[in-house]
Amino acid sequence: TYTTDSKSRKENKKTIEDLYRLSVDITKICRLKEWVLLQNVTYVKEIASILQEMGADETTVANILERCPEAILHTPAEINSQRALWQLVCQNEKQLVKLIEQFPESFFTIKYHENQKANILFFQELGLKNNIITRFLTSAPNIFYSPVEKNKNMIEALQRNYLSLGGSDANMKIWILKLLSQNPFILLNTSTAIQESLEFLQKNNFTDHEVLQLLSQLKGFIFQLTPTTMEKSMLFSKHVFKCSDQELKQLVLKCPALLYYSVPVLEERLEGLLREGISVEQIRETPMVLELTTQIVQYRLKKLSALGYDIKSGTLENLNGTKKDFEVNYGKIQSKKERPIFNPVAPLHIED
């Protein structure tokens, strides 16, 4: 936190002049973080010089300082230390500059420098590739702010649970690395939260193998849920689909979204499907359709109906899946519709 002299909250003229010379849009800073311009001590020229040394051109420097003006409050020594740290996982300075331009706040958060360094080294020892670690640094910087011991404890807790659920020693490292690369935020949880989530599933008659299956399908996001929210979602699905506990379990294994999404989200998506004339029975047959937002469903239905496809009598499988999956299915239906009734080059069989 940076404090200013309360008696004279005037903008620092030298800071503004230095920023102006670098073609920085001062009005953007005034609108978003004017407090930076009130600081008595800033390092505009020095920080710009470090960025230029790394290969940043004038436009890039201006973009970085407009998006993260607090960068100029750090000393050159602090920024050079951060630069050396990120170079541990970046291929070269060109890549580093690109990352700083895209995620300046992550780079200029130097408060947890020692923790960041210890965690980077820990992740490398664990076997995570540098490109995955750079993705973490930019998209999940919080995981580097914790003491390395906390992250080590979380990894150990995950390993213990993996083995206790019947996972093998041989596959454990691959499983952990995959889980982390899919969802680094798993490290922000506590070992207690992990235990509670797993116990909830076991109490609901999911076998150890099925629990492992759900962990992989949900990419570890299950640990960000509470037993209470999972129970509410399951009860909602049970009521909607009018099914037994065993049938519900099979639906959840088929579509883990029934466990992951909250009741209001499931309710909204279900209502959206029913409004389009899709029946509850159809949804029960293909519950994965609830993974799609109402807007995506409407867009896909519009495209399919333009081809004359009737979703009420057809299968929801054609509506389902990723954008790529849908485009493939759509292409098949389209080509089938456009295919000629007869083959113009086939010989005609005319009886004598």
Side-chain angles (χ1 to χ4, degrees):
T1 307
Y2 301 92
T3 56
T4 56
D5 183 359
S6 56
K7 290 177 186 173
S8 59
R9 291 184 62 81
K10 291 181 181 176
E11 290 177 346
N12 184 327
K13 283 185 181 177
K14 186 178 182 306
T15 299
I16 289 174
E17 284 168 12
D18 288 344
L19 288 168
Y20 185 74
R21 285 194 193 99
L22 290 165
S23 304
V24 173
D25 187 340
I26 312 290
T27 55
K28 276 188 184 177
I29 298 178
C30 287
R31 194 166 64 246
L32 299 170
K33 293 177 182 176
E34 190 184 16
W35 59 272
V36 172
L37 304 175
L38 309 177
Q39 308 309 311
N40 293 326
V41 181
T42 60
Y43 302 91
V44 180
K45 288 179 183 174
E46 294 87 340
I47 302 310
S49 176
I50 291 171
L51 291 169
Q52 285 160 352
E53 259 177 52
M54 289 156 62
D57 59 22
E58 187 181 312
T59 308
T60 303
V61 171
N63 283 343
I64 291 169
L65 297 183
E66 282 166 12
R67 286 191 57 195
C68 186
E70 56 268 46
I72 65 174
L73 304 176
H74 297 303
T75 67
E78 287 171 330
I79 298 309
N80 276 322
S81 293
Q82 196 72 342
R83 173 185 178 180
L85 183 64
W86 281 47
Q87 280 175 328
L88 291 173
V89 288
C90 284
Q91 293 170 355
N92 48 46
E93 294 209 313
K94 187 181 177 183
Q95 186 200 9
L96 179 51
V97 168
K98 196 175 176 184
L99 288 175
I100 297 171
E101 187 176 18
Q102 288 176 307
F103 308 94
E105 291 85 358
S106 298
F107 180 78
F108 290 107
T109 301
I110 59 152
K111 189 178 173 185
Y112 309 95
H113 184 81
E114 288 309 312
N115 283 355
Q116 286 184 57
K117 186 173 184 178
N119 279 307
I120 285 175
L121 296 174
F122 167 60
F123 291 141
Q124 286 178 327
E125 284 166 23
L126 199 62
L128 278 170
K129 292 181 179 173
N130 285 341
N131 64 322
I132 301 289
I133 300 174
T134 53
R135 181 158 60 79
F136 288 0
L137 278 168
T138 53
S139 61
N142 304 26
I143 68 171
F144 293 88
Y145 304 160
S146 307
V148 72
E149 288 308 316
K150 183 187 181 296
N151 286 335
K152 280 183 180 176
N153 291 339
M154 276 301 300
I155 295 293
E156 284 165 11
L158 287 168
Q159 289 171 331
R160 277 195 308 275
N161 282 298
Y162 177 75
L163 293 174
S164 72
L165 291 167
S168 70
D169 270 313
N171 292 330
M172 183 171 69
K173 186 179 177 181
I174 295 167
W175 184 80
I176 287 283
L177 294 179
K178 189 177 179 184
L179 201 63
L180 272 180
S181 60
Q182 289 174 328
N183 177 18
F185 298 103
I186 202 170
L187 293 170
L188 299 177
N189 295 310
T190 64
S191 48
T192 312
I194 288 180
Q195 209 57 49
E196 285 174 355
S197 294
L198 297 179
E199 282 172 8
F200 169 79
L201 294 172
Q202 287 165 329
K203 280 175 191 169
N204 279 274
N205 301 317
F206 286 92
T207 65
D208 288 351
H209 175 72
E210 287 167 345
V211 172
L212 268 184
Q213 188 185 325
L214 280 172
L215 289 187
S216 299
Q217 283 177 298
L218 282 170
K219 301 172 184 176
F221 283 105
I222 199 165
F223 299 134
Q224 285 157 243
L225 307 174
T226 65
T228 311
T229 55
M230 287 191 279
E231 187 167 31
K232 283 179 181 173
S233 296
M234 284 178 74
L235 286 172
F236 172 77
S237 298
K238 189 178 180 181
H239 172 72
V240 166
F241 297 119
K242 297 178 175 57
C243 55
S244 66
D245 289 344
Q246 184 58 29
E247 287 169 331
L248 176 64
K249 193 178 89 161
Q250 292 310 313
L251 280 174
V252 169
L253 288 168
K254 201 174 178 183
C255 176
L258 295 176
L259 194 66
Y260 178 68
Y261 289 121
S262 65
V263 171
V265 170
L266 290 172
E267 218 163 17
E268 184 208 340
R269 293 184 180 187
L270 187 80
E271 283 169 9
L273 290 163
L274 296 176
R275 274 199 305 272
E276 298 295 338
I278 294 164
S279 69
V280 171
E281 195 50 49
Q282 280 178 296
I283 300 166
R284 182 173 166 168
E285 284 299 310
T286 316
M288 294 78 75
V289 77
L290 289 166
E291 292 173 2
L292 305 173
T293 65
T294 305
Q295 289 80 2
I296 290 172
V297 166
Q298 287 170 340
Y299 167 76
R300 292 183 181 184
L301 281 175
K302 196 174 176 184
K303 285 196 79 173
L304 288 171
S305 61
L307 295 179
Y309 184 84
D310 183 9
I311 199 70
K312 293 175 194 175
S313 56
T315 171
L316 295 189
E317 290 292 342
N318 292 320
L319 196 63
N320 222 4
T322 61
K323 185 181 178 183
K324 191 178 176 183
D325 295 334
F326 173 72
E327 293 301 335
V328 169
N329 287 332
Y330 177 79
K332 284 177 184 173
I333 295 167
Q334 192 176 33
S335 62
K336 198 174 178 182
K337 186 181 185 328
E338 291 169 357
R339 196 178 298 147
I341 296 166
F342 68 96
N343 184 344
V345 296
L348 292 174
H349 296 284
I350 304 169
E351 289 183 14
D352 295 329

